[in-house]
Structure formats: C-alpha cells, structure tokens
Amino acid sequence: MQSRIAFQLGQTVTPVLRRTALASSTTKLAFQHAHTAPYAFTVTDAKYRTIKVPHMADSITEGTLKSWAKMVGEQVEQDEEVASIETDKVDIPVNSPVGGVIRELLAKEEDTVVVGQDLFKIEEGAVVEGGAAQSAPKAEEPSSSEPIAAAPKKSEPAAATPKEAAKPAAPKEAAAPAPAKESKPAASTSPVSFSTGERSERRVKMNRMRLRISERLKQSQNTAASLTTFNEIDMSNLIDLRKTYKDDVLKTHGVKLGYMGAFVKASTHALQAVPEVNASIDGDHLVYYDYCDVSVAVATPKGLVTPVLRNTERMSIVDVEQEIANLGKKARDNKITVEDMAGGTFTISNGGVFGSLYGTPIINMPQAAILGMHAIKERPVVVNGKIEIRPMMYVALSYDHRIIDGREAVTFLVKLKEVIEDPRRLLLSV
C-alpha cells in the first residue's frame, strides 16, 4: 500500500519538477543572453547568411573597404547599405540582400577586399526589439551628470575674484615705473627675436581613384603623340541667347541653361564634320565612331571623373543640359556608377569655371582628342575695322598626332568657333 502511494506521488510530482526545472533553465538562458548580447533579438526560424563582396565591374577585381555603415548587432533592412568599397573609378555600395541583424564583420576598414570574398554575416529574420530606444536614455545620462561635475569648476573663478580685486591697487602703484620700462637702455639690452611660426607637414595615403588618375594621365603622356592647338571665340551671341531664353528654359524644362550644352552640341557638329577627331587606335587599326559619346570632366572631392553623355548627335541643347545636371549631381553625391563613365569618344574639360584663362588639357586615352574651355574675359578685339570690347574665351584642342593631323585639328576648332559665335548654324547644320 505504501509503495503504491509512493509510486502515485512520484507520478504527480515528477511533471511538476520537470516543468519547474524547465522554467528555471529557460530563465537562466534568458538571463545569460541578456548579459552577453548588446541587444535583445527575436529569433524565429532565423538563419545565418554570409554576404560576399559583390561583382563591381568587368575591369574591377578588388577594392578598399572604406567604411561600415552598419555594425555588429544593428538592424538592417533589405537593400540597405552596409558597407562602401572604394575602387579606382567609383565607390561601390554593398547592400544587404535580406533583412536581419549584423552578427559578424569579416573585414576591417582600409582592408583590400576582392570580388567573392566573405564580407559580413547576417542573421536573417532577426529583429532588434527596441535596443536603440533603450540605449538612447543611457547615452543622455552622462550628459546630465556633467553639469554637476562642472559646478565646482564654476566656483573656482568666484574664489579667484578676491585676488583679482586686490590687483587694481597694484597697477596704480606700477604706473610710475612704467615709463622706466620704455626707456632706451632697456630697449637696447633686450634681444630681438623673430617668430617663424610652426612648420609641419602631413602625409596622406593616396586613394585608389587618385592612384588610377595618376596612372592614366602618365600613360597618356607616354603613349600619345600629344599636341595642342588654340583659338579664341567671341561669346557675345551665345551670351545674348542665354540671357533671352534662360528663364523660359527653366520654366518649361526645369533646368538652368548654361554654356556647356551649346559647347557639347557644337563639338558634336565638329566631330561629325571631322571624323578623325572622333576616333581611336586599336592595335594597328583606326576605329572611327559613327556616334558621339562625349565625356564631361566633373570635379569631385575625391578626384576628377568623366561621366559620358551618350549619342549627343540625337540630343538637343536642353537635353544635354538636363543630362549634365543629372550626372553632375550623381558625381557630387558619390553615386556615380562605373557604367556612367564607361566608353566615351571625345572629352570636354571646362577649367573656366575655376577661372582658368589658358591651359593644355591631357588626352583621355584611348580617345584621340580633348577640348579645353576657359574663362570668359572682356578683351579689346577688332570687329569690322573697329576696336570693340567683347567677351572672349580661349579654347584649346589637345590631340593625338598619330591619328589627327594639324589640318583636321585646326578645322575642328574653326567649326566649333563658327557654331558658338552663330548658334543659328545648328538649326541649319552648316
């Protein structure tokens, strides 16, 4: 009888003990997790995924990891940027293909990473349960305690005021010997010293874009038989055209009418008239392009980039201005892509926006020529036998003499000059 009661008691008590032990172990695990992880996560059927360095371009196999936009323990949405990789052309953003929580970073900033390399691990499906909301008040606590710690410091100047109050009497007594300090013997005995200031220098590592620019420019100098020819353009008619229609263009098309659109169209007109300028060398062959893809040099904080305006022979001046505005904004916002800069059959560089009066641009290989625009300056010129003050611009064409002879180079600039000085020629294609 006693054994039966004991057996029944064991049958009833054991499940209770098991549930108690299970609850205790669950509490223990939750406590340990809360003290080891910076945030609390909801994990439901979550899985870890290793994200690799993405394919960037056919000609780019590696880059420098410049920055992490997300750190371990932070929430990431799908297609949100996690890291940025600097290449010799553009910065490539690395976005997360899934939403979740970053668990591990597999590379450090300034490390060289290659395409296909493991970059970071993400726990797919994990969600931060308000860790950011809880951490914000904690971050404010030290700031609230700083005024309390600073209070004694503010009382120190108050304690020093009696000493300062005693000082006014001293200047009155020292007023009499003051002329003696300015006497000639005192001035003759004091040594004369010259302050040279601080002399320092900084050593900064060149980024990949600057290194690539250096290589390409030096390659251009070493490869092309470079020569430059010049001309000058009377900008009066183009300036009048811009003043007359800039408000209408802005109202109708939402873009500012500048001078670059006219120069791109004038260059396209000249490229079609002189096809040797719109060519390149490929081995022992000359390649002539029936289309005009004009690269426009844009200055960015990291260096010079040359986004391409494609098929400018099909574009109007307003179309060119709109595309230049779009590409310029992308370049300044560091969102320009490799595809935006691929190709190009001719380049225009506008140093005039920085005040350049005269210069010889370097050819953007493998192109055959580059046009350099410069600042508009009023100068006295002879017009119909009379001296007049006109807004003038010097233009320069650097060209590869292996492809282009002097006749073609000069003809190109003359065609450009004719169109800019009389924009109506564009309507008549003459």
Side-chain angles (χ1 to χ4, degrees), residues 286-338:
L286 288 176
V287 181
Y288 294 93
Y289 303 100
D290 296 330
Y291 54 87
C292 298
D293 287 354
V294 179
S295 304
V296 180
V298 178
T300 68
K302 288 192 173 183
L304 189 70
V305 296
T306 54
V308 180
L309 305 170
R310 306 193 188 279
N311 298 112
T312 55
E313 73 279 2
R314 305 176 188 174
M315 303 171 70
S316 66
I317 291 179
V318 175
D319 293 336
V320 172
E321 291 288 358
Q322 288 176 331
E323 189 63 15
I324 289 175
N326 294 335
L327 292 173
K329 185 177 185 303
K330 290 177 68 176
R332 289 187 294 271
D333 294 344
N334 202 25
K335 295 181 179 179
I336 199 89
T337 64
V338 177

Side-chain angles (χ1 to χ4, degrees), residues 226 228 349 359-363 370-372 374 396-398:
S226 183
T228 305
S349 176
T360 56
I362 299 179
I363 300 171
I370 178 174
L371 175 70
H374 299 94
L397 181 75
S398 294

Side-chain angles (χ1 to χ4, degrees), residues 244-299:
T244 303
Y245 295 105
K246 65 177 183 179
D247 294 335
D248 293 337
V249 170
L250 181 61
K251 181 179 179 180
T252 305
H253 301 283
V255 65
K256 294 181 179 180
L257 182 62
Y259 300 120
M260 185 60 78
F263 270 89
V264 170
K265 285 302 296 180
S267 297
T268 302
H269 174 79
L271 289 173
Q272 292 176 320
V274 189
E276 290 82 2
V277 182
N278 196 39
S280 65
I281 293 179
D282 185 11
D284 57 354
H285 290 77
L286 288 176
V287 181
Y288 294 93
Y289 303 100
D290 296 330
Y291 54 87
C292 298
D293 287 354
V294 179
S295 304
V296 180
V298 178

Side-chain angles (χ1 to χ4, degrees), residues 38-39 130-144:
Y39 300 99
Q134 294 176 0
S135 62
K138 293 181 181 179
E140 294 175 357
E141 289 177 4
S143 62
S144 61

Side-chain angles (χ1 to χ4, degrees), residues 390-404:
R390 294 292 183 93
M392 305 297 293
M393 175 193 288
Y394 289 117
V395 289
L397 181 75
S398 294
Y399 60 97
D400 191 346
H401 214 331
R402 298 177 302 166
I403 307 174
I404 305 169

Side-chain angles (χ1 to χ4, degrees), residues 37-50:
Y39 300 99
F41 302 97
T42 300
V43 183
T44 55
D45 298 330
K47 58 182 178 179
Y48 288 87
R49 292 185 59 175
T50 300

